[in-house]
Each structure stands twice: as C-alpha cells, then as structure tokens.
Amino acid sequence: MAEIPVPHGSEFSQLQSLVDRVQQIERRISHLPQSNKQSQPTDIDLASIASAIYRARRRRSRFLPEALFAEPAWDMLLELFVTQAFGRQVSVSSICLAADVPQTTGLRYLEILEKVRFVERRYMPGDRRVKMVSLTQLGYKVMRAYLMDGIGNAEVPLPA
C-alpha cells in the first residue's frame, strides 16, 4: 500500500484550517433542530435537488469555459450524495469521471475529502481490484444539511 504524503508548511496550515472548518460544521449540524418528520423532504427529494445542481453545473460548460468553474470535490460530493440516496455504489474511477477530471486529479481530491472525513474508500467485496467510494456519515449529514438549508431559505424548490 502506497504511503500518503504528509503535508508540510502552508499546505499543512491550509489542510488544518479545512479540518477545523469541518469540525465547526459538524458541531453546527449536530445542534440543528429536528422538526416534524412529515414536513421534511426525503433523501430521495434531496437527491433530486443535488442531481439538478450537478446537471446545471455540467450544462454550464456548454456556454462558458469549464476552467473558470472547476470544482471537482463539489461534483464528487453531489454525485456521491445522489448515488447513496438511491442505495447505489460508485467506484473510484467512476467518481473521477463524474467530476470530469483526469484520474490523478480526482484521486488528489478524494484524498483531501478523506482527510476531512467526508468520504471513505474500500475494496469491493469479492473483487479487490475495484475500490468503491462513499460519503461517510459526516459527509452525508453535511450534504443533507446543505440541501435542506437551500430548501429552508427558498433557494431551491422541492421536486414536484
């Protein structure tokens, strides 16, 4: 198994800052009030919203230079939320394709998402040649809270 390089200097400071921010978000979402379950959208509803956001981002590249808006980690998080909400699994290579970046770039972003505990990789049962990736419990909660916040602030309508 290859060793993961340990960040140094400013790279370490940036990563530590990101980890601190994730911990703040985790504390914030753990204190969110739990409202009436009947009025809450389902994870499938939220997945529809996440999917619409992802499709809109892909559609944007038909009109504007894609390099202006490169956010591979965000594309990965959206796609992982959708696949998990529907109970599907996704391979590491597929999530890199979904982010529309070269495999090496996708792997770098997956490392960052792992370090902040938003995603985890594991071997596919029965086939150690394939690695699967999924949101961690924290990653799923953060994405769900983000999508719920958009609904609560009327930024995103619930699917019909």
Side-chain angles (χ1 to χ4, degrees):
M1 187 150 127
E3 285 189 35
I4 296 175
V6 177
H8 293 74
S10 66
E11 187 180 76
F12 178 79
S13 298
Q14 290 173 340
L15 185 57
Q16 187 58 51
S17 175
L18 187 56
V19 168
D20 293 343
R21 180 71 180 125
V22 167
Q23 289 171 341
Q24 289 172 352
I25 293 168
E26 190 173 16
R27 283 191 297 275
R28 238 180 81 211
I29 64 173
S30 70
H31 291 85
L32 289 176
Q34 298 298 317
S35 61
N36 181 353
K37 294 280 186 199
Q38 292 178 336
S39 65
Q40 294 263 335
T42 67
D43 284 2
I44 300 299
D45 293 332
L46 296 175
S48 296
I49 293 167
S51 184
I53 293 168
Y54 177 83
R55 286 191 315 274
R57 290 179 45 71
R58 298 276 61 90
R59 198 172 50 251
R60 179 178 62 189
S61 67
R62 291 189 316 207
F63 301 96
L64 301 162
E66 204 166 320
L68 292 175
F69 305 104
E71 295 179 286
W74 182 235
D75 289 337
M76 289 176 174
L77 291 171
L78 287 168
E79 182 65 17
L80 288 169
F81 184 85
V82 171
T83 58
Q84 279 182 238
F86 283 99
R88 297 188 308 252
Q89 295 185 356
V90 64
S91 69
V92 168
S93 58
S94 292
I95 201 66
C96 291
L97 286 172
D100 200 25
V101 294
Q103 188 89 4
T104 54
T105 302
L107 293 172
R108 278 197 309 275
Y109 278 96
L110 280 176
E111 268 186 48
I112 292 167
L113 290 170
E114 278 182 311
K115 286 179 182 176
V116 295
R117 301 183 348 259
F118 280 6
V119 302
E120 59 190 0
R121 289 185 263 188
R122 69 201 173 294
Y123 286 106
M124 185 172 171
D127 189 350
R128 294 189 53 88
R129 295 171 296 167
V130 179
K131 270 202 168 179
M132 306 305 283
V133 64
S134 61
L135 291 173
T136 60
Q137 210 170 23
L138 171 63
Y140 198 85
K141 281 182 184 177
V142 168
M143 289 302 293
R144 193 173 199 296
Y146 168 81
L147 294 163
M148 290 291 293
D149 186 64
I151 292 168
N153 292 316
E155 295 167 1
V156 184
L158 268 173

